C-alpha cells in the first residue's frame, strides 16, 4: 500500500506542498487552507474495473478495517496510515432511501435520500473523524507528541471526535457554544469522557478560541479546517456511485454550514472522474438556512465577493455558521459542478422535514433545509421531472428530538404546523377510545 502517496498542498498554489505526516492546517506561505493531494499517476496504473471490483469486494464485509465505507477506499483516502493505527467503527455503508412516495408528491420520482446520519454517532461527521483520529494515532506512533485532540463544534463534530478518541485511548477536548446545542449533542461527548468547554459565544467564537489554544499547546486541531477529514467525507460520493452501480445522479443536494462537506462531495466526484470510474459529473446544490446564508448571498453575486455574516439562530443549529472556514474550497467546487446555492427559512425547513417524515424517514432539521431547497428548485423547474436526484441527509433525527417534538406539539414560534401530529388524550375506557377512533382517526 506504501506505493500510493499523498501530501498536503496549498489550495491557492499547488507548488506549496507539505509532508502528510506534518502537523499543519494552513499553508505557511499563503495562509490558505490545505488539501490532501493524491499521486493520481500511481492510482491510474490500475484500471477503472480494478478499482470498482476492489471497492465492491470489500463493501460492508467483515475483513477489518476494509468493510468500512471509508477504509474500503483506503488507497484513495489515506494510504499512509498503517492498518494497526486505524480507528474505525464501520462508518459509511449507509442506506440510500428511495424516496419515491415523497418524490411523487413533489413531482420527481427518481429521488433518493442518502442516510449519512445512520452512523455510529448519528451524523456524517464519523466519516471524516475516523481518518483524522487514525492519522493522530499514526503521528503518535511516528514519535510526535500530541497531548490531546480538540475541536469547536455545533454539536456533531464533538460527538464524533469524542467517540473516536475514546476508542483510540486519546484525550479529547470539545468547545461548545453554551445553550446552543441539543441535549443529545451535549451528552455524547460527556458520555465518551471528553472535556467539554462550554463558552458564552457562538460557533464562530468557539472556532477562534480553539485555534489559538491549539497553537499554544501540543493539541491537535480536529475542525474541518483540517483537510484529513475531507478525505473521509469524500467517500460519500464514491459510495453513492457504487450503490447506483456507478451511474451518476443528475443532482446532489447537501446542507452547508462550514462548507467542508460540499467541498468533500465535489472532491470525491472529481477523483472518480479523473480515474475513469464515471464519465460525467452531477450538479451540486448547497442548501443554507436563511438565518446563516453567507454563501447564498455570495452566489447571488456570482461568487464575485464573499462576506461573512453574523449567523442568526436557526432550528438547523449545526449549520448556524456565519464565517465558514471552507468557503474558498466550496466556491471552487461549486463552479466546477455548475453548482447552485439555495436557502430555506425556518418555516420551510420545518415543514419540509415533517413532510418527508410522513413518508417514512426521520430527518434532522439540516436535512429539512436540503429537502426544502429541493422543493424550491423543482418549483422553479430547474430540477426536472425525470432527473435523478439525491438529497444528503446529514444527521439522524433522533439527535434533534427537541425540534421534532416542539414542531408536533406546535410549540415553535412562527412555524405553520401544516404536518403536526399530536397525541389524543382520553379516559382509559374502550367506549371513549372507540368514539375518538370513529370521529377523528378512521
Ligand atoms: C456539520 C453538519 C452539517 C454541515 O456540514 P459542513 O461541512 O459544516 O458544511 C450539516 N448537517 C449536520 C447534521 C452537521 O453535523
Amino acid at each position: 500500500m506504501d506505493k500510493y502517496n499523498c501530501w498536503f498542498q496549498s489550495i491557492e498554489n499547488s507548488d506549496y506542498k507539505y509532508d502528510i505526516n506534518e502537523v499543519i492546517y494552513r499553508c505557511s506561505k499563503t495562509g490558505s487552507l490545505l488539501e490532501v493531494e493524491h499521486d493520481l499517476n500511481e492510482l491510474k496504473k490500475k484500471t477503472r474495473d480494478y478499482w470498482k471490483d476492489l471497492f465492491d469486494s470489500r463493501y460492508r464485509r467483515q475483513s477489518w478495517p476494509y468493510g468500512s465505507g471509508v477504509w474500503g477506499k483506503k488507497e484513495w483516502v489515506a494510504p499512509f496510515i498503517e492498518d494497526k493505527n486505524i480507528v474505525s467503527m464501520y462508518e459509511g455503508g449507509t442506506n440510500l432511501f428511495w424516496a419515491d412516495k415523497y418524490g411523487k408528491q413533489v413531482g420527481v420520482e427518481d429521488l433518493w435520500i442518502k442516510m449519512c446520519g445512520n452512523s455510529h454517532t448519528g451524523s456524517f461527521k464519523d466519516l471524516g473523524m475516523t481518518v483524522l483520529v487514525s492519522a493522530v494515532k499514526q503521528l503518535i506512533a511516528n514519535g510526535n507528541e500530541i497531548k490531546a485532540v480538540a475541536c469547536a463544534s455545533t454539536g456533531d463534530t464533538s460527538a464524533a471526535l469524542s467517540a473516536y478518541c475514546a476508542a483510540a485511548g486519546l484525550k479529547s477536548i470539545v468547545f461548545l457554544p453554551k445553550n446552543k446545542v441539543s441535549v443529545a449533542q451535549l451528552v455524547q461527548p460527556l458520555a465518551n469522557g471528553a472535556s467539554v468547554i462550554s463558552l458564552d459565544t457562538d460557533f464562530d467564537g468557539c472556532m477562534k478560541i480553539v485555534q489559538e489554544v491549539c497553537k499554544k499547546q501540543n493539541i491537535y486541531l480536529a475542525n474541518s479546517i483540517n483537510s484529513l477529514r475531507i478525505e473521509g467525507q469524500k467517500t460519500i460520493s464514491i459510495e453513492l456511485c457504487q450503490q447506483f452501480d456507478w451511474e451518476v445522479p443528475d443532482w446532489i443536494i447537501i446542507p452547508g454550514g462550514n462548507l467542508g462537506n460540499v467541498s468533500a462531495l465535489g472532491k470525491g466526484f472529481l477523483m472518480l472522474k479523473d480515474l475513469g470510474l464515471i464519465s460525467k459529473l452531477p450538479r451540486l446544490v448547497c442548501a443554507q438556512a436563511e438565518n446563516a446564508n453567507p454563501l447564498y448571498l455570495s452566489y447571488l453575486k456570482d461568487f464575485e465577493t464573499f462576506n461573512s455574516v453574523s449567523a442568526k439562530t436557526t432550528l438547523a443549529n449545526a449549520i448556524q455558521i456565519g464565517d465558514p472556514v471552507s468557503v474558498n474550497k466550496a466556491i471552487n467546487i461549486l463552479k466546477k459542478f455548475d453548482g447552485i446555492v439555495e436557502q430555506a427559512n425556518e418555516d420551510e425547513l420545518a415543514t419540509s422535514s415533517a413532510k418527508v417524515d410522513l413518508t417514512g424517514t426521520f430527518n434532522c432539521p439540516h436535512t429539512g433545509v436540503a429537502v426544502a431547497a429541493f422543493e424550491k428548485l423543482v418549483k422553479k423547474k430547474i430540477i426536472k421531472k425525470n432527473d435523478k436526484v439525491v438529497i444528503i441527509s446529514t444527521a439522524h433525527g433522533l439527535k434533534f428530538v427537541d425540534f421534532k417534538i416542539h414542531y408536533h406539539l406546535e410549540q415553535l414560534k412562527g412555524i405553520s404546523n401544516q404536518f403536526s401530529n399530536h397525541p389524543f388524550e382520553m379516559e382509559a375506557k374502550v367506549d371513549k377510545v372507540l368514539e375518538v377512533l370513529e370521529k377523528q382517526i378512521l
Side-chain angles (χ1 to χ4, degrees):
M1 189 154 288
D2 283 338
K3 67 181 171 188
Y4 299 111
N5 276 326
C6 61
W7 55 90
F8 292 121
Q9 182 170 300
S10 160
I11 63 166
E12 271 176 22
N13 186 334
S14 56
D15 289 341
Y16 300 145
K17 298 181 183 8
Y18 304 87
D19 193 296
I20 197 77
N21 287 306
E22 208 176 312
V23 176
I24 187 168
Y25 315 111
R26 283 185 185 275
C27 174
S28 53
K29 300 206 174 68
T30 65
S32 72
L33 292 191
L34 300 171
E35 62 186 340
V36 176
E37 190 66 29
H38 292 264
D39 182 354
L40 288 178
N41 289 331
E42 194 60 44
L43 292 167
K44 277 180 187 162
K45 288 184 184 161
K46 300 283 191 220
T47 64
R48 163 185 77 187
D49 289 334
Y50 170 86
W51 292 117
K52 287 182 182 176
D53 291 346
L54 182 69
F55 296 161
D56 283 344
S57 71
R58 292 167 171 173
Y59 188 60
R60 303 186 72 174
R61 307 295 297 235
Q62 292 306 321
S63 153
W64 194 91
Y66 298 98
S68 148
V70 172
W71 298 106
K73 283 96 185 164
K74 184 181 176 189
E75 294 81 353
W76 292 28
V77 170
F80 63 99
I81 300 176
E82 294 167 78
D83 284 2
K84 66 171 195 263
N85 290 320
I86 287 177
V87 188
S88 171
M89 305 193 196
Y90 207 70
E91 41 291 311
T94 52
N95 180 32
L96 252 183
F97 179 97
W98 186 24
D100 59 328
K101 190 154 176 269
Y102 166 72
K104 258 184 210 136
Q105 293 170 5
V106 181
V108 173
E109 287 180 33
D110 202 358
L111 175 67
W112 304 77
I113 304 178
K114 175 74 170 148
M115 305 300 289
C116 296
N118 293 359
S119 174
H120 187 77
T121 69
S123 87
F124 76 84
K125 297 293 199 296
D126 292 348
L127 299 169
M129 212 50 87
T130 181
V131 177
L132 182 139
V133 173
S134 302
V136 172
K137 255 191 103 174
Q138 183 69 49
L139 284 169
I140 292 171
N142 295 349
N144 283 274
E145 228 178 279
I146 294 173
K147 286 194 220 156
V149 190
C151 73
S153 172
T154 50
D156 293 327
T157 301
S158 52
L161 178 67
S162 43
Y164 281 86
C165 281
L170 298 170
K171 187 188 273 298
S172 62
I173 308 171
V174 307
F175 292 69
L176 296 176
K178 195 170 159 189
N179 300 330
K180 291 196 174 76
V181 301
S182 72
V183 174
Q185 287 171 322
L186 176 62
V187 78
Q188 285 180 297
L190 291 175
N192 285 133
S195 303
V196 176
I197 314 265
S198 180
L199 297 178
D200 202 3
T201 176
D202 58 5
F203 170 80
D204 296 308
C206 289
M207 191 65 222
K208 286 198 184 88
I209 289 182
V210 77
Q211 293 192 55
E212 288 300 314
V213 169
C214 287
K215 238 187 261 167
K216 299 220 158 82
Q217 294 280 344
N218 274 345
I219 300 175
Y220 191 84
L221 179 62
N223 277 95
S224 61
I225 184 175
N226 187 320
S227 52
L228 289 166
R229 278 178 50 199
I230 304 292
E231 291 311 289
Q233 288 170 210
K234 86 183 178 196
T235 61
I236 294 177
S237 318
I238 310 171
E239 185 171 292
L240 255 178
C241 291
Q242 188 175 14
Q243 285 172 303
F244 284 129
D245 284 333
W246 307 101
E247 187 193 342
V248 180
D250 299 300
W251 295 93
I252 315 236
I253 306 168
I254 184 168
N258 230 349
L259 306 177
N261 213 19
V262 64
S263 311
L265 196 69
K267 194 161 190 257
F269 278 109
L270 291 175
M271 204 161 173
L272 284 162
K273 187 146 180 286
D274 267 350
L275 290 163
L277 280 73
I278 59 173
S279 53
K280 69 160 206 177
L281 296 176
R283 289 188 69 185
L284 297 187
V285 179
C286 182
Q288 291 213 294
E290 194 176 311
N291 283 354
N293 63 351
L295 189 70
Y296 176 74
L297 296 177
S298 170
Y299 169 74
L300 294 182
K301 289 183 265 168
D302 289 327
F303 297 128
E304 269 160 26
T305 54
F306 176 84
N307 294 307
S308 58
V309 301
S310 173
K312 292 186 236 121
T313 303
T314 168
L315 293 163
N317 70 351
I319 55 175
Q320 188 177 324
I321 295 174
D323 189 10
V325 125
S326 295
V327 64
N328 293 334
K329 281 187 185 176
I331 290 177
N332 281 341
I333 286 294
L334 287 166
K335 285 181 176 167
K336 284 185 187 152
F337 285 77
D338 196 7
I340 291 178
V341 186
E342 187 51 271
Q343 66 171 3
N345 65 31
E346 298 299 290
D347 190 26
E348 290 164 340
L349 77 87
T351 303
S352 292
S353 176
K355 184 174 175 185
V356 72
D357 276 359
L358 286 171
T359 61
T361 66
F362 192 68
N363 271 297
C364 73
H366 323 88
T367 306
V369 172
V371 175
F374 161 71
E375 288 189 29
K376 286 175 143 180
L377 292 173
V378 174
K379 224 174 252 161
K380 290 181 190 168
K381 301 202 166 30
I382 294 172
I383 293 180
K384 308 256 170 22
K385 189 169 173 280
N386 294 318
D387 288 350
K388 188 181 195 71
V389 183
V390 177
I391 294 170
I392 306 292
S393 177
T394 46
H396 201 295
L398 283 173
K399 291 187 101 172
F400 298 90
V401 284
D402 289 351
F403 156 70
K404 293 274 178 199
I405 194 68
H406 291 146
Y407 177 86
H408 286 291
L409 298 181
E410 305 190 0
Q411 292 165 345
L412 296 175
K413 278 194 209 96
I415 303 293
S416 57
N417 299 314
Q418 195 183 343
F419 299 107
S420 57
N421 181 21
H422 36 109
F424 298 91
E425 288 175 10
M426 68 210 75
E427 267 178 86
K429 294 208 172 104
V430 171
D431 55 337
K432 298 281 180 204
V433 173
L434 285 172
E435 192 186 315
V436 171
L437 278 176
E438 278 159 25
K439 285 197 180 138
Q440 300 184 57
I441 298 179
L442 296 176

mmCIF file of all heavy atoms in Angstrom, residues 124-125 156 256-261 318-319 366 394-395, ligand 1:
data_model
loop_
_atom_site.group_PDB
_atom_site.id
_atom_site.type_symbol
_atom_site.label_atom_id
_atom_site.label_comp_id
_atom_site.label_asym_id
_atom_site.label_seq_id
_atom_site.Cartn_x
_atom_site.Cartn_y
_atom_site.Cartn_z
ATOM 1 N N PHE A 124 -22.864 12.407 9.681
ATOM 2 C CA PHE A 124 -21.821 12.079 8.697
ATOM 3 C C PHE A 124 -20.429 12.417 9.208
ATOM 4 O O PHE A 124 -19.434 12.024 8.603
ATOM 5 C CB PHE A 124 -22.074 12.827 7.375
ATOM 6 C CG PHE A 124 -21.706 14.283 7.438
ATOM 7 C CD1 PHE A 124 -20.389 14.692 7.231
ATOM 8 C CD2 PHE A 124 -22.646 15.258 7.731
ATOM 9 C CE1 PHE A 124 -20.033 16.044 7.319
ATOM 10 C CE2 PHE A 124 -22.300 16.598 7.822
ATOM 11 C CZ PHE A 124 -20.986 16.987 7.623
ATOM 12 N N LYS A 125 -20.332 13.154 10.319
ATOM 13 C CA LYS A 125 -19.024 13.563 10.828
ATOM 14 C C LYS A 125 -18.118 12.357 11.117
ATOM 15 O O LYS A 125 -16.904 12.482 11.114
ATOM 16 C CB LYS A 125 -19.185 14.402 12.086
ATOM 17 C CG LYS A 125 -19.937 15.718 11.907
ATOM 18 C CD LYS A 125 -19.173 16.705 11.053
ATOM 19 C CE LYS A 125 -19.628 18.151 11.193
ATOM 20 N NZ LYS A 125 -20.992 18.437 10.761
ATOM 21 N N ASP A 156 -22.221 18.026 16.377
ATOM 22 C CA ASP A 156 -21.968 16.708 15.807
ATOM 23 C C ASP A 156 -20.475 16.375 15.687
ATOM 24 O O ASP A 156 -20.069 15.227 15.859
ATOM 25 C CB ASP A 156 -22.653 16.596 14.448
ATOM 26 C CG ASP A 156 -24.175 16.613 14.591
ATOM 27 O OD1 ASP A 156 -24.669 16.108 15.613
ATOM 28 O OD2 ASP A 156 -24.859 17.134 13.695
ATOM 29 N N GLY A 256 -25.275 23.013 3.914
ATOM 30 C CA GLY A 256 -23.915 23.508 4.142
ATOM 31 C C GLY A 256 -23.843 24.560 5.229
ATOM 32 O O GLY A 256 -24.675 25.467 5.293
ATOM 33 N N GLY A 257 -22.830 24.408 6.110
ATOM 34 C CA GLY A 257 -22.583 25.382 7.164
ATOM 35 C C GLY A 257 -21.152 25.883 7.068
ATOM 36 O O GLY A 257 -20.871 26.950 6.549
ATOM 37 N N ASN A 258 -20.232 25.056 7.564
ATOM 38 C CA ASN A 258 -18.812 25.384 7.447
ATOM 39 C C ASN A 258 -18.280 25.059 6.045
ATOM 40 O O ASN A 258 -17.163 25.366 5.706
ATOM 41 C CB ASN A 258 -18.015 24.621 8.513
ATOM 42 C CG ASN A 258 -17.100 25.531 9.295
ATOM 43 O OD1 ASN A 258 -16.901 26.690 8.934
ATOM 44 N ND2 ASN A 258 -16.507 25.014 10.349
ATOM 45 N N LEU A 259 -19.061 24.355 5.268
ATOM 46 C CA LEU A 259 -18.852 24.088 3.844
ATOM 47 C C LEU A 259 -17.737 23.087 3.543
ATOM 48 O O LEU A 259 -17.249 22.999 2.421
ATOM 49 C CB LEU A 259 -18.612 25.399 3.083
ATOM 50 C CG LEU A 259 -19.710 26.462 3.292
ATOM 51 C CD1 LEU A 259 -19.360 27.737 2.558
ATOM 52 C CD2 LEU A 259 -21.061 25.937 2.826
ATOM 53 N N GLY A 260 -17.376 22.282 4.553
ATOM 54 C CA GLY A 260 -16.425 21.206 4.310
ATOM 55 C C GLY A 260 -17.073 20.073 3.526
ATOM 56 O O GLY A 260 -16.459 19.498 2.621
ATOM 57 N N ASN A 261 -18.313 19.771 3.868
ATOM 58 C CA ASN A 261 -18.918 18.572 3.284
ATOM 59 C C ASN A 261 -19.222 18.742 1.802
ATOM 60 O O ASN A 261 -19.024 17.812 1.011
ATOM 61 C CB ASN A 261 -20.189 18.187 4.052
ATOM 62 C CG ASN A 261 -20.411 16.703 4.101
ATOM 63 O OD1 ASN A 261 -19.478 15.917 3.885
ATOM 64 N ND2 ASN A 261 -21.632 16.288 4.359
ATOM 65 N N ALA A 318 -26.691 22.979 13.484
ATOM 66 C CA ALA A 318 -25.362 22.521 13.046
ATOM 67 C C ALA A 318 -24.846 23.326 11.858
ATOM 68 O O ALA A 318 -23.671 23.224 11.508
ATOM 69 C CB ALA A 318 -25.396 21.029 12.696
ATOM 70 N N ILE A 319 -25.725 24.103 11.241
ATOM 71 C CA ILE A 319 -25.248 24.949 10.136
ATOM 72 C C ILE A 319 -25.452 26.431 10.460
ATOM 73 O O ILE A 319 -25.511 27.262 9.573
ATOM 74 C CB ILE A 319 -25.889 24.564 8.779
ATOM 75 C CG1 ILE A 319 -27.414 24.577 8.838
ATOM 76 C CG2 ILE A 319 -25.399 23.211 8.339
ATOM 77 C CD1 ILE A 319 -28.076 24.307 7.475
ATOM 78 N N HIS A 366 -31.374 19.939 9.411
ATOM 79 C CA HIS A 366 -30.443 20.315 8.319
ATOM 80 C C HIS A 366 -30.861 19.618 7.041
ATOM 81 O O HIS A 366 -30.824 20.193 5.947
ATOM 82 C CB HIS A 366 -29.015 19.941 8.697
ATOM 83 C CG HIS A 366 -28.791 20.164 10.156
ATOM 84 N ND1 HIS A 366 -29.061 19.199 11.102
ATOM 85 C CD2 HIS A 366 -28.461 21.284 10.824
ATOM 86 C CE1 HIS A 366 -28.866 19.711 12.299
ATOM 87 N NE2 HIS A 366 -28.509 20.963 12.173
ATOM 88 N N THR A 394 -27.808 14.532 6.666
ATOM 89 C CA THR A 394 -26.523 14.639 7.358
ATOM 90 C C THR A 394 -26.519 14.105 8.790
ATOM 91 O O THR A 394 -25.459 13.815 9.333
ATOM 92 C CB THR A 394 -26.064 16.110 7.373
ATOM 93 O OG1 THR A 394 -27.164 16.941 7.759
ATOM 94 C CG2 THR A 394 -25.584 16.524 5.994
ATOM 95 N N ALA A 395 -27.698 14.029 9.415
ATOM 96 C CA ALA A 395 -27.709 13.515 10.790
ATOM 97 C C ALA A 395 -28.982 12.723 11.041
ATOM 98 O O ALA A 395 -29.970 12.843 10.314
ATOM 99 C CB ALA A 395 -27.614 14.650 11.804
HETATM 100 C C1 LIG B 1 -21.655 19.524 10.236
HETATM 101 C C2 LIG B 1 -23.036 19.371 9.784
HETATM 102 C C3 LIG B 1 -23.518 19.991 8.629
HETATM 103 C C4 LIG B 1 -22.706 20.956 7.836
HETATM 104 O O1 LIG B 1 -21.550 20.445 7.231
HETATM 105 P P1 LIG B 1 -20.406 21.466 6.799
HETATM 106 O O2 LIG B 1 -19.305 20.614 6.336
HETATM 107 O O3 LIG B 1 -20.065 22.247 8.036
HETATM 108 O O4 LIG B 1 -20.988 22.351 5.751
HETATM 109 C C5 LIG B 1 -24.805 19.730 8.222
HETATM 110 N N1 LIG B 1 -25.610 18.917 8.925
HETATM 111 C C6 LIG B 1 -25.185 18.324 10.047
HETATM 112 C C7 LIG B 1 -26.140 17.458 10.766
HETATM 113 C C8 LIG B 1 -23.900 18.519 10.519
HETATM 114 O O5 LIG B 1 -23.499 17.921 11.640
#
